[in-house]
Amino acid sequence: MKSSGNKVRIAVFISGTGTNLKNLINFSKKNNLFKIKLVISNKRNATGLIFAKKNRINTKVYYLKAKLKDERKILNNLKKNKIKIICLAGFMKILSKNFIKKFNGKIINIHPSLLPKYKGLNTHSRVLDNNEKYSGCTVHFVNSKLDSGKIILQKKVKILQNDTSLTLQKRILKQEHKIYPKALRIILS
Ligand code: GRF
């Protein structure tokens, strides 16, 4: 087992509620795999920031309006904190090609659909509009194209007759909380 000083240092990027962040923090406390050292948000009032602070994790907000400038600052911060993996978890900004190239580590993302189907936003309503039988969630590596990098792990979720976007979203989110830590285990092993 790795000693605490050797744990892989992770940064999580969020924009909103941060249930995936919360779940990863709780998982990291029970395991010796990684430590979340930094939480970055593009929104000052992202509720996930509160949970990070409660857990004494450094947080920093970059609005990314001046994208190049802020991305440069983020890269410096990641370097300073010796971050090896970035986990995007409900982060609503697209990182530039330059950022992805310059970051010296792995970047992964969780998306609430069975990629390559339903990239982008409003996945659940599009899935329901198309009368799909299944949806799900995917953890994948991030490349310069939206929701398109190599898939690490997926979980299928059956669509129920009375599903709305909200009920489907909730059921998929539960599975997201299962596969995100598993995906990290895979890439760290
Ligand atoms: C999740 O559904 C994730 O797949 C998507 O954004 C949502 C974030 O939820 N990218 P949370 O902020 O982790 O609760």
Side-chain angles (χ1 to χ4, degrees):
M1 241 198 267
K2 289 172 184 158
S3 73
S4 64
N6 283 339
K7 284 185 188 174
V8 177
R9 300 164 74 92
I10 285 183
V12 183
F13 287 23
I14 61 166
S15 299
T17 332
T19 64
N20 276 292
L21 165 69
K22 200 169 174 176
N23 181 58
L24 288 176
I25 293 174
N26 289 337
F27 177 83
S28 74
K29 285 188 196 162
K30 289 185 233 134
N31 290 274
N32 229 356
L33 274 180
F34 60 85
K35 182 131 181 88
I36 298 172
K37 297 300 287 183
L38 183 62
V39 173
I40 284 177
S41 172
N42 65 313
K43 295 237 162 91
R44 190 169 42 89
N45 54 358
T47 46
L49 290 174
I50 300 169
F51 193 74
K53 282 178 190 152
K54 269 191 194 149
N55 282 275
R56 288 191 229 95
I57 298 170
N58 283 335
T59 62
K60 183 83 187 163
V61 177
Y62 298 93
Y63 297 103
L64 286 150
K65 287 199 176 119
K67 197 165 177 180
L68 282 181
K69 211 170 153 195
D70 274 357
E71 282 193 343
R72 213 175 304 130
K73 289 183 189 166
I74 296 175
L75 283 167
N76 283 335
N77 199 350
L78 295 169
K79 201 169 175 184
K80 194 178 85 193
N81 281 286
K82 300 190 184 80
I83 300 298
K84 298 287 181 256
I85 297 176
I86 298 173
C87 294
L88 306 181
F91 184 62
M92 301 305 281
K93 288 276 179 183
I94 295 173
L95 296 166
S96 73
K97 240 185 201 169
N98 177 59
F99 180 95
I100 294 167
K101 205 172 92 189
K102 291 238 168 93
F103 175 62
N104 211 357
K106 291 174 176 148
I107 310 179
I108 65 175
N109 180 41
I110 186 144
H111 183 75
S113 80
L114 290 174
L115 290 174
K117 288 176 115 182
Y118 302 100
K119 297 172 184 175
L121 297 174
N122 304 318
T123 50
H124 308 304
S125 56
R126 286 188 286 137
V127 161
L128 292 175
D129 286 348
N130 285 343
N131 293 315
E132 297 280 4
K133 287 200 170 74
Y134 291 95
S135 187
C137 45
T138 306
V139 182
H140 64 94
F141 287 108
V142 170
N143 63 16
S144 56
K145 289 193 197 126
L146 182 70
D147 301 327
S148 296
K150 189 170 172 253
I151 291 170
I152 303 164
L153 204 58
Q154 274 187 322
K155 176 76 189 174
K156 243 183 178 183
V157 172
K158 197 172 171 14
I159 294 174
L160 307 177
Q161 214 182 357
N162 297 323
D163 258 336
T164 62
S165 289
L166 192 64
T167 57
L168 184 57
Q169 183 219 326
K170 282 187 178 162
R171 250 187 4 274
I172 290 178
L173 195 60
K174 274 193 190 154
Q175 296 306 321
E176 292 184 31
H177 296 163
K178 290 189 182 152
I179 66 165
Y180 216 162
K182 275 191 194 162
L184 272 167
R185 229 189 238 289
I186 292 172
I187 67 167
L188 289 173
S189 63

